[in-house]
Amino acid sequence: FVLLIIAAAFISCSEQACPLTVRGGSWPFDFTRDTFHQAVSSLDQCGQMCLDDPTCLAYTFSKAFDNIMTYCYLFRHLGEMVECDNCESGTVPAYLSDGMSCAAGTEDILDEATTQTAEECWSLCLETEGCVAFTWFKADALFPNYCFLYVSCNDEMACDSCVSGRVNCIPAPQCFDYMVLNEDTRNNKFHAESDGSHTFYYDWIDSLETSAGWRGSGYYRMMPPAGLYMPESNPGGYYCGTGIHCFLNGKHPEELFVETDVSFYYQEGTVTKCDGYFVYYLKDDSASNWCRYCATSEPIN
C-alpha cells in the first residue's frame, strides 16, 4: 500500500492539496547527516527506504551516466529546494515520537474518519485541504482505527496506542517541473515581418502555425533567446511573431512559491514566483481565440 501511495503521488500531485512529489527538484545534501545509496533499482524502493527510516523526511532518486548508475538520497533536514537533472523527489510524514499526538483542541480538528492503517490516515490528510497533521489510533486504543486530521500541530502530548505525524508538503513543485518556451520569435522585440517569412505563430496545438516549443496546456518557464518573463503590457503590432498577443495583464506577484491567478488578456492562467524566475500555467489556445504568449528580456517593475 505504501508503494502505491508513492507511485500515485507522481501521477496526481497537481490535484493534491499537499504536493508530495516533484520532478527536477531536490534539497541541498549534507554529508554530516544525510545519506545516499547506490544501485537502488527504482523510485519506489528509494521511497520505501525513506519510510523505513524514522529519521528520514524526504528522498531523491536520480540516474547518471545514461541511466547506468542510480542513486537514492535520504534527507534528514529540508532546506530550500534546488534544481537537479534527471531526478525525482518526494517527502514522507515527519512522524512524532512513539506514543505522541498533537496537543489540539476541538477547533484544531479538521475532520475524522476510520482507516485500517496509519498510511491510509496519512493519505487522507494529503487529500484534505488545510490538513497539516494526523493521528491514527491502533486497534487496541480507546478509539480503534480512528483517524484525526488537524489544521495545526504546534504542541504535542502523550497518547496510548497511536501513530502521529506532520505532512511535509513540497511548495510549488511547478518551480522545478515545467516546460520551456525559448523561441527567439517569441520575444516582444521580434517583428513577424523581420525575417521575411511573414509567419504568425500561435500557441494552439491544432494550429497550422503552432509555435515550435508549444506542448499544450501546462506549466512553462520563459528562457532565452525568447526572454525571461512575460511582458506586463501588450507589445502590439506584429511583435512576438504573431498578430494576437497574450501578455500578463497586470503585475508579477512578489510572494515566493505562491501560485497566483492572473489574466493573460485573452486567456486565464496562473503565475508562480520561484527562486529567481517565474513559472506560468498557460492554457492551450482555441480556434475561437488565437493568441501567442509573449516573452521579454526587459526588467519588470
Side-chain angles (χ1 to χ4, degrees), residues 182-190 223-227 240-241 292:
N182 60 0
E183 311 97 315
D184 59 351
T185 60
R186 193 177 291 275
N187 187 271
N188 66 329
K189 297 300 183 183
F190 179 88
M223 297 187 71
C240 304
R292 192 187 200 196

Side-chain angles (χ1 to χ4, degrees), residues 37-270:
H37 306 266
Q38 298 184 28
V40 176
S41 62
S42 66
L43 172 71
D44 286 347
Q45 183 183 359
C46 185
Q48 186 65 61
M49 291 170 67
C50 187
L51 285 167
D52 291 341
D53 183 344
T55 65
C56 182
L57 298 178
Y59 58 93
T60 292
F61 178 72
S62 69
K63 301 177 182 179
F65 305 109
D66 294 327
N67 299 335
I68 296 175
M69 299 292 293
T70 59
Y71 302 90
C72 175
Y73 299 88
L74 304 182
F75 299 92
R76 292 172 176 80
H77 174 79
L78 301 182
E80 288 192 5
M81 296 195 74
V82 295
E83 291 189 89
C84 59
D85 295 328
N86 205 11
C87 73
E88 297 173 293
S89 301
T91 62
V92 299
Y95 283 108
L96 307 187
S97 300
D98 191 38
M100 298 298 292
S101 173
C102 297
T106 55
E107 69 278 4
D108 298 313
I109 299 177
L110 180 62
D111 201 359
E112 58 185 76
T114 55
T115 63
Q116 296 304 306
T117 64
E119 287 80 10
E120 289 182 12
C121 185
W122 169 47
S123 182
L124 185 61
C125 182
L126 299 176
E127 297 168 0
T128 304
E129 186 73 34
C131 183
V132 301
F134 65 91
T135 293
W136 178 76
F137 287 92
K138 301 176 184 179
D140 59 347
L142 181 62
F143 303 102
N145 299 115
Y146 255 74
C147 170
F148 290 91
L149 308 181
Y150 303 104
V151 295
S152 65
C153 185
N154 298 323
D155 298 303
E156 302 175 14
M157 66 179 185
C159 66
D160 295 326
S161 297
C162 73
V163 177
S164 303
R166 297 181 177 90
V167 297
N168 283 321
C169 303
I170 296 178
Q174 64 269 26
C175 284
F176 308 95
D177 188 7
Y178 53 76
M179 294 174 281
V180 171
L181 295 175
N182 60 0
E183 311 97 315
D184 59 351
T185 60
R186 193 177 291 275
N187 187 271
N188 66 329
K189 297 300 183 183
F190 179 88
H191 197 277
E193 298 178 348
S194 64
D195 62 354
S197 67
H198 304 279
T199 301
F200 291 170
Y201 297 99
Y202 301 97
D203 291 329
W204 177 34
I205 203 69
D206 294 324
S207 170
L208 294 177
E209 293 84 24
T210 302
S211 303
W214 185 249
R215 299 292 182 268
S217 299
Y219 289 102
Y220 289 89
R221 177 181 174 182
M222 300 295 182
M223 297 187 71
L228 298 173
Y229 324 99
M230 290 187 69
E232 296 176 345
S233 60
N234 193 339
Y238 296 144
Y239 289 98
C240 304
T242 189
I244 305 177
H245 314 83
C246 274
F247 56 94
L248 182 57
N249 192 24
K251 297 293 184 181
H252 283 76
E254 297 182 359
E255 191 171 355
L256 199 62
F257 300 131
V258 175
E259 187 170 11
T260 305
D261 292 327
V262 295
S263 167
F264 298 119
Y265 196 73
Y266 288 104
Q267 290 281 13
E268 301 299 314
T270 71

